[in-house]
Every structure is written in C-alpha cells, then in structure tokens.
Amino acid sequence: MKVAADAPAVLSVLYRGRLASCNYACGYCPFAKRRDSREALARDAADLQRFVDWALAQSRPLQILFTPWGEAMIRKPYRQAMLALAASPHVRTASIQTNLSGPTNWLADAPAGKLGLWCTYHPGETTMARFLDRCARVSASGARYSVGVVALRHHFEDIRALRAALPPEVYLWLNAYNDLGPGYYTEEEQAWLMAIDPWFDFNAHPSRSAGRPCRAGSDAISVDGDGSVRRCHFLPQVLGNLYEQPIAELLNERSCRRRMCDCYIGYAQRRDLPFVDDFGDGLLMRVPSAWHYQGGGSIENMPSVPLAAPAPRRIMMTAS
C-alpha cells in the first residue's frame, strides 16, 4: 500500500507520569521499594487516562513508550492503557519498561506484535527460573520484547546463563555500569559483553552529542503527567503542553544540546547513529529488526571476575 506523500511521519511519544513506586529493592536504583500514597496513585491514573484519551484522538501514526520511574505493569491502569492503545489502528506500537513481575495473561488480548515489553532482569529480586518462565509467557502471548541486565561484574554469571537460556530471537541488551567512572571494564570484559550485545559500546562509551542531528523534538517527544512536552527526558526546556496546543506547533528539527547522552532512550533517536535503521519499528521497545543471536559458544568464555566486587551505589538506571 502506498503512503501519501504528505502523510505525517510516525511520532514517537515517551510518557513518564508521576508513578515512583517500585516493588523491587535493587541497590543501584533510587526508587527501590518506594511507596506511592493512594492519592498519588489515583492522580497518576487520572493523568494516564488523559494521555490515553489524547493519543486515541490523534490521526497521525504514533508509537508510544511508557518510561515510569517505578514499576507500572503491576498497576491495572497501565495494563488497560496499553490494551486501549494497541487496539487503535493509528497506534503502531505501545511499549513499556518493566521488571516483568506483574501479570502477563492480559498480553494475549492485544493484536499480535503491537505490544512491546522492555524487560529488565534484576538478580537478587527474583529467581532466574521465575523470570524465564515469565519470558516464555510473553513469547506465547504474541507480544514483542527484549531483555536486559545492568552489567555489573557480579552479574556476569547471570548474564551468561540468561543468554544461554533465552531463545536466540530475543535480544539481550546490557546497560553499562558507569558510576565508578571510565575503566570499570577490562578490554577482555568489554569484548565479551559486546559479543552478547553488539550495541553495548554505545552505552559504555557514549560519544559527544552536542550539535549532532537528533529526531528528538521533531519525530520524538517526551511527555510528563501534566502534559508538559520536552524534546526528550534529558533536556529540561518545556516546548509547550500536549493538551493546550496542537502537537504540530511544538515539533521542530533541532540538533542536540546535551554534551553527552549515555542512555538508550536518548541516543537511539540520534540521526548519526544506527539505531533507527537497526531497530526499525522496534526502536522504542529496544527490539532490533530481524535479530537472531549468533554468539554460539562465545558466551561460555566469561572473563574471570574479582571475588570482592565493590557494592554499587544508587544511580539513575531505570531509563537507560
């Protein structure tokens, strides 16, 4: 089917509401075991419904990613929002970042391929067997998903075991642990991690972003609970309000103003990097196009890890 020459481009919308509560207690996350009050949860749910109503009223094609500070998939309003969005013809994909601890049976109620889960495995918060069982349920549901781990040294064995157990068509992404500064990984460790995740180096050694062309602000936006629109999560300037102005008035091509971008949801939008081509319509769910792991036995060659690994300090890892 031919697309009209003047048809609007797909707009990527990253929504982050007020939700800050999480049911996990990861040592590297500032939102571990935080609790939201009933009033805060009700307000977040109302904000979320307002956003869904806006999205469903649009005519241009949308891709949507929920990037909550806390864990949203355990909350019924977010599951309902995902299903409502996935049922709309002009919403190409609806995705969410999750620890995969919430229900999964609802995923099968959406059209196959329209829901995307960006799943993070947190060793120590659940067993690998339980996590893999939930991954199998996602696979059976028809939803698309990727799996990732924060690549701390004491997670290396979990990374090896996870890659060996996951189906080859499931991408295992790795977030670099940069809180201790450059040099955390040896060359041997870096090579091993890149054999598992070929895009790992973009996260471990981010290039300069300032002045580089970026889709953020023209083809992608960030929206918060009150409707404030920004180019991305990492630039504070408010462009306007989603509910007060036509979205077309807020969109403009702009180069990046951030000195360096070390988070996937930011640098994936850069026009000079390969992510739009490599990930296609799986960009927001972090699912590469036509992915099939070819590493073979290389995952067994895990670098030796010092017995006394330093305890991680809490850092902002949720959105990476």
Side-chain angles (χ1 to χ4, degrees):
M1 181 178 69
K2 291 186 177 180
V3 179
D6 58 349
V10 177
L11 178 66
S12 296
V13 184
L14 281 63
Y15 178 86
R16 177 176 290 162
R18 306 171 196 273
L19 183 72
S21 56
C22 188
N23 55 338
Y24 277 13
C26 306
Y28 43 78
C29 178
F31 296 92
K33 288 296 183 183
R34 178 177 291 193
R35 287 180 175 269
D36 283 323
S37 66
R38 289 185 179 181
E39 292 78 11
L41 291 173
R43 186 175 182 184
D44 181 66
D47 288 345
L48 175 63
Q49 187 58 56
R50 188 184 187 192
F51 171 73
V52 171
D53 291 343
W54 172 88
L56 295 179
Q58 303 307 299
S59 58
R60 72 179 298 160
L62 302 174
Q63 288 185 310
I64 295 170
L65 171 64
F66 293 104
T67 63
W69 289 123
E71 175 54 38
M73 216 171 86
I74 60 175
R75 305 291 176 187
K76 187 175 181 179
Y78 280 88
R79 301 194 297 272
Q80 293 174 328
M82 296 274 287
L83 289 175
L85 292 167
S88 178
H90 72 279
V91 177
R92 302 289 178 83
T93 60
S95 306
I96 192 167
Q97 293 177 324
T98 176
N99 61 26
L100 206 55
S101 62
T104 56
N105 57 335
W106 62 278
L107 296 169
D109 295 334
K114 290 196 71 173
L115 291 183
L117 304 184
W118 168 331
C119 310
T120 305
Y121 174 59
H122 298 282
E125 297 301 315
T126 186
T127 65
M128 184 168 295
R130 178 177 170 80
F131 184 82
L132 288 170
D133 175 69
R134 302 185 82 75
C135 288
R137 296 184 198 180
V138 178
S139 292
S141 75
R144 299 157 68 188
Y145 70 106
S146 63
V147 171
V149 185
V150 178
L152 290 154
R153 282 202 179 97
H154 58 275
H155 289 173
F156 280 8
E157 173 55 32
D158 295 291
I159 292 170
R160 184 206 63 75
L162 198 58
R163 179 62 278 173
L166 286 169
E169 64 271 18
V170 174
Y171 169 50
L172 176 60
W173 49 264
L174 302 172
N175 279 348
Y177 181 68
N178 291 323
D179 198 40
L180 297 180
Y184 178 73
Y185 302 108
T186 66
E187 290 185 10
E188 180 188 18
E189 291 167 345
Q190 177 88 11
W192 182 74
L193 294 166
M194 285 191 64
I196 295 170
D197 178 3
W199 295 274
F200 175 72
D201 195 55
F202 289 99
N203 196 267
H205 300 102
S207 61
R208 181 177 176 83
S209 293
R212 302 297 170 85
C214 187
R215 299 172 71 250
S218 59
D219 299 303
I221 56 170
S222 166
V223 178
D224 66 16
D226 65 8
S228 294
V229 176
R230 296 173 175 81
R231 291 176 58 191
C232 73
H233 287 324
F234 311 106
L235 293 172
Q237 179 188 8
V238 176
L239 304 179
N241 191 282
L242 198 67
Y243 311 123
E244 297 174 2
Q245 300 156 269
I247 189 63
E249 293 182 2
L250 306 180
L251 303 179
N252 241 323
E253 186 77 22
R254 304 168 175 90
S255 59
C256 185
R257 297 175 58 186
R258 186 175 168 88
R259 185 183 69 84
M260 188 173 292
C261 188
D262 59 358
C263 181
Y264 173 86
I265 58 175
Y267 60 67
Q269 301 293 343
R270 277 179 45 181
R271 298 189 188 277
D272 60 331
L273 297 181
F275 292 92
V276 172
D277 290 336
D278 291 352
F279 285 68
D281 70 351
L283 186 74
L284 295 191
M285 60 185 77
R286 210 168 179 174
V287 173
S289 302
W291 170 258
H292 192 91
Y293 179 65
Q294 302 287 348
S298 63
I299 59 170
E300 300 299 333
N301 301 321
M302 187 177 72
S304 59
V305 180
L307 292 178
R313 294 173 290 182
R314 290 192 172 185
I315 53 174
M316 305 293 278
M317 300 297 295
T318 307
S320 295

